[in-house]
Amino acid sequence: MTDLQTIRARKDEFFAQDHHSPLTHEQRHDFKGLDYFPENPALNLEVEVDENVEKAEFMMQTSTGDYQPFQRFGKFRFEVEGQTAELTIYVNEHGYFLPFVDSLRVTETYPAGRYLEPEPLANGKFLVDFNLAYNPYCAYNEMFSCPLPPAENRLQVPIRAGEKIFEKDEIHA
């Protein structure tokens, strides 16, 4: 079992069995696991982040209409399927945060976006592994309030890595 497979198996176990799971009791009853894209090594990136961005605090809207404070940390460019894309990394008291929406929204990925926590590396770059992209808790249960990716993080390219859309009425095998 690869590291990614282990991470996914542990997440599925947490969702199925832990009382802190975002799934409702009814959802956990028939839950067989989340749906993921196959591992995509091309989307496991070490990126240089341009920190020359407006650093002023701004309020990121959430799925429930509330707002959470964030600050832009920096932007990075990368290539996916021959197309150049750019995303902004944010930061708050919890650490680095990368919310994004890709072109597969609605059909294959959660329409409100997915999340990553970029990892700073010793060489000044960041590890951005889209294979670890995950749905926010509001994708499973509307009782959760989740930050929505700002317009600057709405991609026109597909990110075929990480967690796929969660179909509440579908049992995954």
Side-chain angles (χ1 to χ4, degrees), residues 68-85:
Q68 292 183 9
F70 283 90
Q71 184 179 36
R72 284 179 184 85
F73 177 78
K75 295 179 180 257
F76 68 95
R77 289 179 184 247
F78 63 105
E79 258 195 47
V80 58
E81 297 186 13
Q83 298 177 60
T84 300

Side-chain angles (χ1 to χ4, degrees), residues 138-155:
C138 55
Y140 315 106
N141 186 330
E142 61 191 31
M143 292 184 61
F144 289 93
S145 181
C146 306
L148 299 173
E152 64 192 351
N153 276 13
R154 295 182 177 270
L155 299 172

Side-chain angles (χ1 to χ4, degrees), residues 34-54:
L34 297 171
D35 196 9
Y36 298 96
F37 287 97
E39 187 167 2
N40 186 343
L43 289 172
N44 182 352
L45 310 171
E46 190 173 299
V47 299
E48 289 186 34
V49 176
D50 177 4
E51 295 182 45
N52 188 23
V53 296
E54 174 64 44

Side-chain angles (χ1 to χ4, degrees), residues 21-148:
S21 169
L23 299 179
T24 64
H25 176 74
E26 294 79 22
Q27 289 171 319
R28 284 197 311 264
H29 180 71
D30 293 325
F31 181 73
K32 302 288 188 244
L34 297 171
D35 196 9
Y36 298 96
F37 287 97
E39 187 167 2
N40 186 343
L43 289 172
N44 182 352
L45 310 171
E46 190 173 299
V47 299
E48 289 186 34
V49 176
D50 177 4
E51 295 182 45
N52 188 23
V53 296
E54 174 64 44
K55 301 283 187 177
E57 181 179 274
F58 74 99
M59 302 303 280
M60 195 177 295
Q61 187 173 356
T62 70
S63 57
T64 57
D66 296 326
Y67 291 88
Q68 292 183 9
F70 283 90
Q71 184 179 36
R72 284 179 184 85
F73 177 78
K75 295 179 180 257
F76 68 95
R77 289 179 184 247
F78 63 105
E79 258 195 47
V80 58
E81 297 186 13
Q83 298 177 60
T84 300
E86 181 179 86
L87 286 171
T88 299
I89 295 174
Y90 304 90
V91 65
N92 68 8
E93 71 273 9
H94 302 294
Y96 298 105
F97 181 56
L98 179 57
F100 69 95
V101 175
D102 70 313
S103 68
L104 301 173
R105 65 189 166 278
V106 180
T107 58
E108 294 186 64
T109 62
Y110 183 53
R114 295 182 286 163
Y115 297 166
L116 281 171
E117 281 84 35
E119 181 182 331
L121 301 172
N123 62 5
K125 295 182 179 183
F126 277 78
L127 178 62
V128 176
D129 186 353
F130 286 101
N131 294 291
L132 300 174
Y134 63 93
N135 294 330
Y137 277 9
C138 55
Y140 315 106
N141 186 330
E142 61 191 31
M143 292 184 61
F144 289 93
S145 181
C146 306
L148 299 173

